[in-house]
Amino acid sequence: MEVVAGIDLGGTAINYTLITREEKFLIEGLCEHPALSKQGPEVCLQQIEDGLKIAADLAKIPLTDIVAIGLDTPGPASAAGQLSAKGSTNFVHADWAGFDIREGLARKLGKPVSYLNDGNAGALWGHFTIFGANSKETSVSIVIGTGLGGGVIIDGNVVKGRKGFGGELGHVLIPYQSIPGIEGMKPNCNCGRLGDLESVCSLTAIEKTFLPYFLPKYPGHELASVDRSKAAKMVRGMADRGDKMCREIFRVQAHGIGLFLDEMVNTFDPDALIIGGGALEASEAFQKWFIEQVRVGMPAQREEQADIPIYVMPNGDTAGSRGAAIEALKLARTSGLA
Ligand SMILES: [Zn+2]
């Protein structure tokens, strides 16, 4: 049986999945192994190899059945998998600077390896859940977490870009001033931009911009006395339960997404728009309300495009490894391995 592995290398854990050539996943939930990336490439690549054996055992397949590997990591990294020479939050060890992690892993395992950054891997997973691995469709995915990641899939292929920054959707400017109810708000992003998508739509935005802006308008609100970073994490749950201020915060975020997706509709005329991440790990009723608000925030579309579907992305925790596996499945198919 030919199998392809997906390996999601995060800050603290490596997550594995395995997929057959018939596009069936052999591991249901999370299969994790400690990442040890702080100890540099040599230790970390050994960890990846050790964890892969555990994953193969879990799926009851021999390691030799694995014909290709898909790797995804946080960026910044080149489209081909060379980590930034300036280092990054997740790869602090000096030996990581400029390290070609895709090539390093291919050499270590003696198998072909494909590479995606974690945002693009998540986007490819979302795309796959709707269109499968052999699709020719176009989709735009956004994943709302601490920041805002995502990706663009055109005709079934991930847009990686010239320097690996394709699909950095969080830093696209949106005309946020047109959202009602936030007069005078100044959403600043860590990247230095004012009013990009991440500055309006992320956990960081809730902590840095929304709570300081809205709490004074809701005197006596219970989140006023809670530590800001802890309070930010409570907003989604409270919005789900109907708290007025928290709903208002999510309404503004949804309208921001609507403005952004309108830009995407006019740029790509995509087949699907997909929204995922922690912000939507809530009740189905809340998800439905949120998507409705995204539509409310979108400027009117041409008649031909008005029915564009907006999906909620499933399986948050395994999205990275599964997206990486799908990229590797394509590699295996184009090189005749699967
Ligand atoms: Zn930004």
Side-chain angles (χ1 to χ4, degrees):
M1 178 165 65
E2 283 123 1
V3 173
V4 160
I7 302 178
D8 172 53
L9 174 60
T12 54
I14 315 165
N15 184 25
Y16 296 84
T17 197
L18 294 164
I19 188 172
T20 65
R21 59 192 293 179
E22 290 78 29
E23 302 176 17
K24 183 179 177 313
F25 285 99
L26 301 178
I27 296 177
E28 255 326 299
L30 278 176
C31 172
E32 285 192 325
H33 197 57
L36 304 188
S37 23
K38 287 197 176 70
Q39 297 178 39
E42 204 174 315
V43 174
C44 183
L45 291 182
Q46 185 60 49
Q47 277 291 109
I48 293 178
E49 185 176 18
D50 295 347
L52 187 62
K53 285 186 194 125
I54 297 171
D57 286 347
L58 185 69
K60 299 188 177 67
I61 59 151
L63 264 183
T64 45
D65 276 9
I66 299 173
V67 295
I69 312 278
L71 172 71
D72 81 286
T73 75
S78 77
Q82 185 179 13
L83 298 173
S84 168
K86 292 181 190 131
S88 71
T89 339
N90 290 281
F91 298 102
V92 282
H93 193 285
D95 290 353
W96 283 121
F99 186 81
D100 190 329
I101 193 166
R102 189 204 62 76
E103 195 189 270
L105 187 62
R107 203 170 291 165
K108 176 96 186 154
L109 300 176
K111 296 176 198 288
V113 176
S114 63
Y115 178 82
L116 289 174
N117 71 40
D118 53 359
N120 284 341
L124 187 56
W125 163 242
H127 185 91
F128 169 87
T129 62
I130 302 164
F131 300 116
N134 265 336
S135 84
K136 293 278 170 271
E137 279 86 357
T138 292
S139 72
V140 177
S141 293
I142 60 173
V143 178
I144 313 158
T146 308
L148 189 140
V152 177
I153 318 285
I154 294 186
D155 302 336
N157 295 310
V158 175
V159 176
K160 297 175 184 174
R162 182 172 67 101
K163 298 282 184 183
F165 292 108
E168 286 289 314
L169 306 178
H171 307 297
V172 175
L173 291 168
I174 55 170
Y176 71 93
Q177 300 91 335
S178 68
I179 303 171
I182 53 163
E183 293 71 24
M185 183 190 271
K186 290 266 172 278
N188 283 297
C189 184
N190 291 333
C191 73
R193 286 177 180 76
L194 172 70
D196 62 17
L197 182 60
E198 178 170 306
S199 78
V200 176
C201 199
S202 63
L203 183 62
T204 305
I206 294 177
E207 180 183 340
K208 298 260 152 63
T209 304
F210 284 93
L211 286 174
Y213 181 86
F214 278 108
L215 279 171
K217 297 185 196 302
Y218 291 79
H221 194 280
E222 61 174 287
L223 288 183
S225 57
V226 179
D227 166 72
R228 204 40 69 72
S229 111
K230 199 175 156 209
K233 294 190 181 101
M234 293 166 70
V235 170
R236 184 206 56 218
M238 291 179 70
D240 198 351
R241 293 191 292 276
D243 177 86
K244 241 178 144 183
M245 182 189 78
C246 297
R247 274 273 162 146
E248 183 62 3
I249 289 174
F250 270 80
R251 177 192 67 81
V252 173
Q253 296 197 107
H255 286 203
I257 291 172
L259 292 170
F260 171 77
L261 293 180
D262 175 66
E263 295 174 346
M264 297 298 102
V265 168
N266 282 291
T267 308
F268 299 111
D269 188 18
D271 298 281
L273 303 168
I274 308 168
I275 307 175
L280 284 180
E281 280 164 22
S283 71
E284 222 168 282
F286 181 79
Q287 291 179 346
K288 193 166 168 265
W289 170 82
F290 190 80
I291 299 293
E292 274 164 22
Q293 289 303 313
V294 169
R295 291 213 186 260
V296 172
M298 266 174 119
Q301 302 300 315
R302 291 173 197 91
E303 201 187 324
E304 299 93 315
Q305 292 169 300
D307 63 346
I308 178 152
I310 304 177
Y311 297 94
V312 174
M313 191 183 293
N315 270 3
D317 291 342
T318 54
S321 60
R322 291 190 165 198
I326 290 149
E327 183 74 357
L329 188 57
K330 284 193 201 176
L331 171 70
R333 280 172 175 165
T334 51
S335 45
L337 293 165

